[in-house]
Amino acid sequence: MTLLTVDGLRGGYVAADEIVRGASLSVAPGEIVSLIGPNGAGKSTLLKLIAGLLRPSAGRVSLQESEIAGLPVTAIGRLGLSFVPQEHNVFGTMTVRENLEMGAYQEPGRVRERIEALFARFPVLAQKRRAQARTLSGGQRQMLAMAMALMTAPRLLLLDEPSAGLSPKAAEELFDIIVALNRDGVAILMVEQNAVEALTVSARAYVLVLGQVAREGPASDLMADPSVRDLFLGG
Ligand SMILES: Nc1ncnc2c1ncn2[C@@H]1O[C@H](COP(=O)(O)OP(=O)(O)O)[C@@H](O)[C@H]1O
Ligand SMILES: [Mg+2]
């Protein structure tokens, strides 16, 4: 049984310029899967095609029983997928609480309870609930972006480089949160440059090169593979 199935997905930013060239991958319910690969390989573009921010030119994306390729972001969100982009993922001049309210715009109702539940998971956000998002540290901002995405109680979370720009300590905290979320049943597909950390917490991984899956397998196998180590793990 798979939660997300991506099959032969193609697309990019303009029709003539294909960035993702027939990518296929899957995520099982409750699984953590990493997507690694060189800069410019199309990892972010692939996540945007899956999440509905870009429209695929070909291929299939299914979430449980629903075919979602080409659906609007909001429809995909209602089916249980949330996406945290790498950048511009919080509203800087709004408070932490207001950002979380924005995360609920698709599904108003019980907003207060949902925010309280997220404050319990992210105590630092509770402390900073009245602070503007732009005043948060990098790690706190990533937590806020993730908490916004969790407002819709997704079954699958797509994360684009959640640890980018964070100190090693903040990155470690963030990976701990990702693992805790996953234990509570949220499946995760994440793009990461910190490949060692990502593979350590992942069950499986894919290596994307030039818009196609070049390697795939159990995360531990990829981590032990000399060619993967040379390319992505610093030898
Ligand atoms: N907004 C955009 N408009 C046009 N091209 C883009 C845009 N964002 C990225 N690209 C191009 O898409 C290619 C893949 O980028 P990206 O998916 O961001 O790679 P990765 O996340 O693997 O580093 C790159 O050649 C990049 O220049
Ligand atoms: Mg990227």
Side-chain angles (χ1 to χ4, degrees), residues 43-44 86 160-161 191:
K43 302 180 298 295
S44 296
Q86 185 182 348
D160 196 353
E161 300 207 23
V191 168

Side-chain angles (χ1 to χ4, degrees), residues 70-90:
L71 291 186
V73 180
T74 47
I76 293 174
R78 276 194 296 273
L79 290 167
L81 185 151
S82 281
F83 172 50
V84 182
Q86 185 182 348
E87 288 174 319
H88 310 298
N89 52 19
V90 300

Side-chain angles (χ1 to χ4, degrees), residues 179-232:
V179 169
L181 265 178
N182 177 253
R183 285 215 185 95
D184 290 343
V186 183
I188 289 160
L189 175 61
M190 68 173 154
V191 168
E192 258 301 338
Q193 289 298 333
N194 284 327
V196 174
E197 289 80 354
L199 292 178
T200 301
V201 301
S202 295
R204 291 186 308 110
Y206 294 86
V207 179
L208 196 74
V209 178
L210 296 171
Q212 291 179 329
V213 172
R215 295 289 312 278
E216 64 180 281
S220 52
D221 289 5
L222 290 182
M223 199 144 43
D225 184 298
S227 63
V228 174
R229 295 197 70 87
D230 284 350
L231 280 171
F232 307 113

